[in-house]
């Protein structure tokens, strides 16, 4: 196993790190620790820059390489700005631990600056939080930020009323959680609105800046923007790929997007159509249930029980055994 990071990250809980509900150590574990009991697995800390298909070698950015018989690429994803990458400094996404800690700092510092701000308009902008995209990440972030402002922070501030914080969820589509059944989508929207989240549907964002966002032709002043509207393949390491030259150039397949690495004889590997993939993975099409630990509609009341289970057992390994559904 080759990875440019030395830890495994459980991404579904990144939003809880971003909202100060969990520490980073709660959702990330060393890869070597997780695989220490598998003597047949070797873990390498390296950054992959390309693949030499004919020579069957994975190329590293430091000039080294690794031979393979079968290659599986699982490089993850990054957030997509649909051609507006200049928005990223103003509206960061949430895919890595660094993203989560950046958002956590922005959210908490916004309240701290609002505490000292005397101008009502600037204070209102500091206490306005905009999430672009109403998929699972956007819905989770909006709900948790609202709970943070409504339940956690009020006793800690003297000059501001955190209950007045605005949490705005903007979605270009007609409903939240578009990938879920209509009834669950409607239930999620009602739940968000019941805790004060402003849900704006059918409104595409056309501009993000340090002052706020423009959506449906209207400007909204906000100092904290969060992007949860799309995913894309990760960028090449350091922004560029090391391209081989000469005869090796025709054999190298740079990893710049999701792609399959062919065998020496392409005809030896039959293609798998989307229809066949669906029949091979029926569990992917199962209706989500409130009993699913990782379902977006699962009750948040289950989290304290799992966290206390970990503290009672004392070790991450024991905690994972007590919550086997997390594997």
């Amino acid at each position: 196993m080759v990875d440019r990071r030395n830890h495994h990250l459980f991404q579904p809980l990144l939003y809880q790190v971003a909202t100060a509900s969990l520490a980073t150590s709660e959702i990330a574990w060393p890869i070597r620790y997780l695989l220490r009991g598998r003597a047949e697995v070797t873990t390498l800390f390296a950054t992959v820059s390309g693949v030499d298909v004919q020579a069957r070698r994975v190329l590293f950015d430091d000039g080294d390489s690794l031979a393979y018989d079968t290659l599986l690429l699982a490089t993850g994803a990054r957030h997509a700005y649909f051609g507006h990458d200049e928005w990223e400094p103003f509206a960061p996404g949430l895919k890595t631990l660094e993203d989560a800690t950046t958002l956590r700092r922005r959210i908490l510092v916004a309240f701290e600056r609002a505490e000292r701000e005397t101008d009502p308009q600037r204070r209102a902008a500091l206490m306005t939080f905009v999430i672009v995209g109403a998929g699972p990440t956007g819905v989770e972030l909006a709900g948790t930020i609202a709970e943070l402002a409504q339940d956690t922070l009020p006793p800690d501030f003297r000059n501001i009323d955190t209950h007045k914080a605005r949490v705005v969820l903007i979605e270009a589509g007609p409903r939240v959680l578009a990938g879920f059944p209509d009834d669950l989508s409607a239930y999620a929207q009602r739940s968000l609105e019941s805790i004060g989240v402003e849900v704006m549907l059918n409104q595409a964002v056309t501009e993000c800046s340090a002052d706020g966002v423009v959506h449906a032709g209207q400007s909204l002043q906000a100092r904290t923007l969060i992007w949860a509207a799309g995913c894309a393949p990760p960028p090449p390491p350091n922004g560029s790929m090391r391209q081989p030259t000469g005869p090796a150039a025709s054999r190298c397949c740079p990893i710049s997007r999701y792609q399959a690495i062919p065998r020496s004889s392409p005809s030896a590997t039959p293609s798998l159509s989307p229809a066949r993939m669906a029949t091979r993975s029926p569990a992917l099409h199962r209706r989500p249930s409130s009993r699913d630990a990782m379902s977006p509609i699962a009750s948040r009341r289950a989290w304290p029980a799992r966290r206390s289970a970990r503290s009672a057992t004392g070790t991450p390994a024991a905690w994972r055994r007590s919550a086997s559904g997390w594997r």
Side-chain angles (χ1 to χ4, degrees):
M1 176 174 288
V2 181
D3 202 299
R4 62 181 177 181
R5 299 178 183 271
N6 71 340
H7 62 267
H8 169 71
L9 175 65
F10 190 72
Q11 284 194 342
L13 289 184
L14 271 175
Y15 78 98
Q16 292 208 20
V17 173
T19 52
S21 299
L22 290 178
T24 55
S25 58
E26 299 277 355
I27 66 169
W29 299 275
I31 297 175
R32 294 186 183 279
Y33 173 83
L34 296 174
L35 298 175
R36 67 193 307 180
R38 303 300 298 267
E40 73 278 15
V41 179
T42 299
T43 302
L44 299 179
F45 180 66
T47 299
V48 175
S49 62
V51 177
D52 188 332
V53 178
Q54 290 194 357
R56 291 177 174 268
R57 301 195 71 87
V58 176
L59 309 178
F60 299 154
D61 65 347
D62 59 4
D64 201 358
S65 64
L66 177 68
Y68 70 87
D69 294 317
T70 301
L71 179 62
L72 174 64
L73 297 179
T75 53
R78 290 291 292 167
H79 29 273
Y81 291 88
F82 308 109
H84 292 280
D85 291 344
E86 68 275 12
W87 293 350
E88 184 170 6
F90 311 112
L94 186 60
K95 293 294 183 185
T96 67
L97 280 179
E98 291 81 3
D99 294 337
T101 54
T102 296
L103 288 179
R104 181 178 64 188
R105 179 181 57 82
R106 292 194 180 194
I107 292 169
L108 297 179
V109 168
F111 284 106
E112 295 292 347
R113 290 178 176 170
E115 175 80 351
R116 298 178 54 194
E117 183 58 63
T118 57
D119 181 85
Q121 186 174 359
R122 288 198 293 265
R123 176 182 285 182
L126 285 167
M127 295 183 63
T128 300
F129 303 87
V130 175
I131 300 97
V132 182
T137 299
V139 167
E140 291 166 341
L141 281 169
T144 311
I145 294 174
E147 289 183 344
L148 184 70
Q150 298 291 331
D151 301 331
T152 306
L153 296 181
D156 300 341
F157 290 87
R158 302 295 179 264
N159 298 326
I160 61 173
D161 181 3
T162 61
H163 292 96
K164 296 180 180 179
R166 291 184 64 188
V167 181
V168 183
L169 180 63
I170 303 177
E171 168 59 39
R175 60 190 180 96
V176 304
L177 298 178
F180 285 75
D182 291 348
D183 57 338
L184 295 182
S185 175
Y187 175 81
Q189 182 173 344
R190 291 195 302 269
S191 298
L192 290 173
E193 293 172 340
S194 69
I195 58 176
V197 177
E198 302 175 35
V199 180
M200 300 183 179
L201 303 176
N202 295 307
Q203 300 188 28
V205 169
T206 56
E207 183 180 346
C208 294
S209 68
D211 296 324
V213 298
V214 176
H215 61 97
Q218 301 178 353
S219 178
L220 176 60
Q221 299 296 309
R223 293 295 182 269
T224 305
L225 312 179
I226 303 174
W227 190 265
C231 295
N238 300 322
S240 63
M241 301 299 299
R242 181 174 61 84
Q243 300 287 355
T245 58
S250 61
R251 302 197 309 268
C252 183
C253 181
I255 301 174
S256 58
R257 59 181 60 88
Y258 292 123
Q259 57 190 3
I261 301 300
R263 296 173 180 265
S264 298
S265 175
S267 61
T269 306
S271 61
L272 190 61
S273 66
R276 290 186 61 192
M277 290 178 65
T279 60
R280 292 280 295 273
S281 304
L284 294 178
H285 304 277
R286 179 174 57 83
R287 181 187 178 92
S289 167
S290 60
R291 294 188 298 272
D292 295 339
M294 291 297 100
S295 170
I297 62 173
S299 171
R300 293 184 74 245
R301 289 176 295 181
W303 299 123
R306 290 192 175 94
R307 293 177 65 185
S308 61
R310 183 188 184 194
S311 60
T313 55
T315 65
W319 175 70
R320 287 195 299 276
R321 287 194 297 271
S322 68
S324 58
W326 281 45
R327 288 191 181 274

